[in-house]
Each structure stands twice: as structure tokens, then as C-alpha cells.
Amino acid sequence: MASEKPLVAVTCTAPVNIAVIKYWGKRDEELILPINSSLSVTLHQDQLKTTTTAVISKDFTEDRIWLNGREEDIGQPRIQACLREIRRLAREQRSDNEEDPPPPSLSYKVHIASVNNFPTATGLASSAAGYACLAYSLARVYGVESDLSEVARRGSGSACRSLYGGFVEWQMGEQADGKDSIARQVAPESHWPELRVLVLVVSAEKKLTGSTVGMQTSMETSPLLRFRAEVVVPARMAEMIRYVKERNFQGFGQLTMKDSNQFHATCLDTFPPISYLNDISRRIIHLVHRFNAHHGQTKVAYTFDAGPNAVIFTLDDTVAEFVAAVRHSFPPGSNGDKFLKGLPVRPAPLSEELKAALGMEPTPGGIKYIIVTQVGPGPQILDHPHAHLLGPDGLPKPMP
């Protein structure tokens, strides 16, 4: 709870989430309300996270924000929406709880610093982690204790799913004010300990069509998107939740791939068409299907967000062989020793039968590196003062 200290600092971390039933299209642009529900997996913060420090002080004369070491415009509408929403909740909470006038800290200006430990704007859900972290740290610094779905969602729709660990559903809701458009946990991170997630980084470049513009164009021009939202997704949500609860990888993997493919089909159905996948993305899809066909079952599954990077789901006993198949198909460039990041993977031989089954000409350097991770928890508070990104003066500490 924020006290009347001259300076209050809170530092939090928040995770990336990867949707297995995709969100694409809004029914309300300002409130960021989706046309369909979605379901995601929260990735572990040991490998992928945003860290945010929020500091309030009576001495600050204006709100300020730094992202990855550079000062950015605090006036960006989505950042402003989050700030307004948090301050509104803080005022409401005080007026509900106390007869006294609200404390002066509610009028204090805030300084915010945020860093990602992964590339921004590459289809790796950086905005989801970023806005979840912003909402969580602002809530702590202003003493807000209510559900933060609405605050995070106003920054980036999928950010509300990063407020929880494990497997998370974002319910589309039906109310015009969006009060019922909230995230809830379907199963905790401990539910499926064997599940592993591999991020195959194809490109760290900024994408040509951002998600916001892409969604708007799809909403205006794609009949397939409407059909997907109204007919396909409701059944798929129920099916996916069942597969997660049963830890049924066959069902989970196949539905994950089908939903990714349909999302990208709606992008192609948009006019002019949007293509987030590139040739390497399509080769990865081919590799996954060949790998599964060789084994006679779904052992690995891909999904792609609005970018060319693949996210692969598999079980821990398949990771080593699949990584070997990726190395064979996409021989690493000069970074061979840094090709694998994250959880350790033991080297595994690739059988001649599997090599033949893959039937692909190698594409050297097609995949830049692989991040090996697992399902993880929701946002965390870092208590140690050394963790703060801002110093006692409210300015960014020198980068190490």
C-alpha cells in the first residue's frame, strides 16, 4: 500500500503469454474489447519477461517513462489510458474505504522505467508483458487492490492474460462498458509440468503491419474473421480448455496448429492481405508436420502470432530430438554456441530415417536462435532495492 513517504518505488516483472486460441479483432477500439474469447499459455520469466519500476514522489513535476533505456512520450494514448484507469481505481478505493480525504500521494506524478529481456515488436508479445507489468507496478505504487484486467487491457488487449500464470482465458464479455471482459486462470503453471515451449526466432526485425492496424483492416474487410469469431472460436475455447485440463497433448497440439492457421487465413482474407509469416515460417510448419508424420502422432505443435517467429509446444521427452531436427534443417550460422538459450537441452542424434522423412534442403541461418522455456507464473514483485531501474532521484540508473 502506498504510504505518505516522499518517494515510493515498486519494481515488478511480468511474463509473455502465447495465445493458442487467438484474439484478432475488437468490438470497441477505445476500451479494447475483443470480438472473441482467447486462451493463452504464460511463459516462464526466467527466459522471457518485462521488468518495470514505478516511482511516485511529491517532488516530481510531470509523469515520465523510459522504455529499454530511452525516454518515450508519456502522452501515448494507451499509456495515458492505463494511468487514468489506475488513478481512478485508487480514488474509488479510498473513497469506498475511508471517510478521510484521499491522501496527497494520489496526486503525485509517476516516473516509470521498463526493460524487456527479448526483442520488442517482433511478434513475441512484448506489449502484453509490458502493459501487464505497467498495470501491476502502478497498482502497487498507488495501492490499488482490485482486478487489473481492465487496466492492462486498455494498454494492450492480450496484456490482461499476462496478469496470471499457467493457462489463462480472456473472456470476451458482452457488456458495452467491458466490465465483464476479464482474464481468469484456467489452470496454474504447476498443472502440466512436462509441457515445454520453444521460441524459434526467425527475425528480430520490426513487423511491417502492426497488430492494431492489422486488426482494424481485418474487421473492415474479412468475412472469414466474423465467421471465425461467431461460429468457430466458441466451440474451440471449450475444446481447448478440456484438453488443457486433461493434459491431452494430441488434442492440445492439433487444435493449437489449426487455430494458428485459421488466424493467418483471416489475415490473408483481409484486403489488402496481411502476411505475417515468411518463407522460413512456412518451412517450420512443413518441418513440424513431417516430424509428426514420422512418429505417427502429434509430438510437436506450432503457433504463430502477428510475426514470423514460431512458438513450438512439445513435451520434455521430445525436446532434444526436435531441436536436433531444427539444427539439421536450419544449420546455425556463426553463433552455433549461442543458438540455444534458456533451459538446457542434451544433444541427441538424429536417425537416418527421420532425416529422410524430413526431406528438406537445409536452410543455413534461417533460424537465428531458439529460446527453450516452460509454463510459468504471473507477475512478481522484486523486493530488493538493487532491482529498481530508477534511482533515488527518479531517473534511470546507468545500464550495467
Side-chain angles (χ1 to χ4, degrees):
M1 198 72 163
S3 62
E4 294 314 303
K5 297 175 192 165
L7 180 141
V8 180
V10 173
T11 297
C12 299
T13 64
V16 166
N17 74 76
I18 299 294
V20 289
I21 300 293
K22 304 293 189 190
Y23 143 60
W24 195 251
K26 303 182 190 74
R27 60 186 171 94
D28 187 307
E29 285 286 340
E30 189 190 346
L31 297 178
I32 308 194
L33 302 177
I35 59 167
N36 64 271
S37 297
S38 54
L39 195 126
S40 62
V41 180
T42 300
L43 305 190
H44 205 289
Q45 294 175 56
D46 283 353
Q47 283 77 43
L48 295 159
K49 69 180 174 192
T50 296
T51 305
T52 300
T53 297
V55 179
I56 56 173
S57 168
K58 63 177 175 34
D59 298 325
F60 296 163
T61 56
E62 59 181 349
D63 295 331
R64 296 175 73 183
I65 190 166
W66 291 264
L67 301 180
N68 292 315
R70 285 182 46 197
E71 185 159 14
E72 301 283 345
D73 177 17
I74 192 90
Q76 287 178 41
R78 291 189 171 194
I79 297 172
Q80 284 298 311
C82 289
L83 278 169
R84 270 197 312 275
E85 197 59 28
I86 275 289
R87 286 167 169 156
R88 180 185 68 77
L89 288 169
R91 278 193 301 275
E92 277 182 12
Q93 190 171 296
R94 295 301 168 84
S95 60
D96 287 349
N97 293 354
E98 298 165 16
E99 299 297 314
D100 308 327
S105 61
L106 277 186
S107 62
Y108 288 178
K109 299 297 184 184
V110 66
H111 285 191
I112 301 156
S114 192
V115 294
N116 294 332
N117 68 347
F118 57 92
T120 307
T122 57
L124 271 181
S126 56
S127 62
Y131 279 108
C133 211
L134 179 66
Y136 202 80
S137 53
L138 287 173
R140 294 302 171 278
V141 88
Y142 282 114
V144 171
E145 289 165 358
S146 53
D147 180 84
L148 298 175
S149 285
E150 191 168 358
V151 183
R153 197 191 69 224
R154 295 294 293 272
S156 172
S158 53
C160 66
R161 298 191 308 244
S162 277
L163 292 170
Y164 299 94
F167 301 83
V168 183
E169 173 189 15
W170 175 16
Q171 298 169 337
M172 62 179 283
E174 293 175 3
Q175 293 172 211
D177 63 4
K179 296 295 181 197
D180 58 347
S181 183
I182 56 170
R184 72 169 190 98
Q185 189 182 67
V186 169
E189 60 270 21
S190 57
H191 170 71
W192 201 345
E194 304 83 13
L195 194 64
R196 294 292 177 271
V197 187
L198 281 63
V199 183
L200 276 49
V201 178
V202 169
S203 165
E205 293 160 16
K206 200 161 178 173
K207 54 200 179 195
L208 289 173
T209 308
S211 301
T212 303
V213 173
M215 280 189 209
Q216 287 168 346
T217 315
S218 293
M219 283 290 291
E220 290 160 11
T221 62
S222 170
L224 178 56
L225 181 64
R226 285 275 166 206
F227 177 77
R228 167 179 163 73
E230 291 166 13
V231 179
V232 181
V233 170
R236 283 188 174 174
M237 284 294 292
E239 207 178 337
M240 187 64 90
I241 289 170
R242 190 173 80 248
Y243 290 144
V244 167
K245 290 190 169 170
E246 293 171 353
R247 293 187 283 273
N248 174 345
F249 188 79
Q250 291 287 301
F252 172 85
Q254 287 188 28
L255 190 53
T256 293
M257 291 188 281
K258 287 176 180 176
D259 203 71
S260 175
N261 294 340
Q262 190 180 74
F263 157 54
H264 290 281
T266 63
C267 291
L268 282 179
D269 190 48
T270 300
F271 196 81
I274 305 166
S275 185
Y276 288 116
L277 307 182
N278 63 19
D279 287 343
I280 302 298
S281 313
R282 286 182 277 274
R283 290 179 79 84
I284 293 167
I285 291 171
H286 184 77
L287 169 68
V288 166
H289 286 292
R290 288 288 181 97
F291 186 93
N292 288 337
H294 172 74
H295 286 287
Q297 59 177 304
T298 299
K299 297 199 75 164
V300 289
Y302 55 77
T303 188
F304 295 83
D305 279 343
N309 298 321
V311 176
I312 302 291
F313 291 97
T314 188
L315 300 179
D316 57 352
D317 60 5
T318 306
V319 171
E321 187 186 29
F322 184 71
V323 166
V326 171
R327 277 185 179 277
H328 170 75
S329 305
F330 304 95
S334 55
N335 69 332
D337 55 332
K338 297 189 179 68
F339 187 64
L340 274 180
K341 303 170 188 282
L343 298 175
V345 178
R346 58 177 176 77
L350 205 59
S351 71
E352 290 305 316
E353 294 82 13
L354 180 51
K355 280 183 193 174
L358 296 178
M360 294 168 65
E361 278 293 310
T363 310
I367 291 173
K368 296 194 165 48
Y369 55 92
I370 300 175
I371 303 167
V372 184
T373 184
Q374 58 193 339
V375 187
Q380 312 283 304
I381 294 178
L382 304 181
D383 287 325
H384 205 289
H386 289 318
H388 293 328
L389 302 174
L390 297 170
D393 57 358
L395 298 175
K397 293 178 180 176
M399 298 294 257

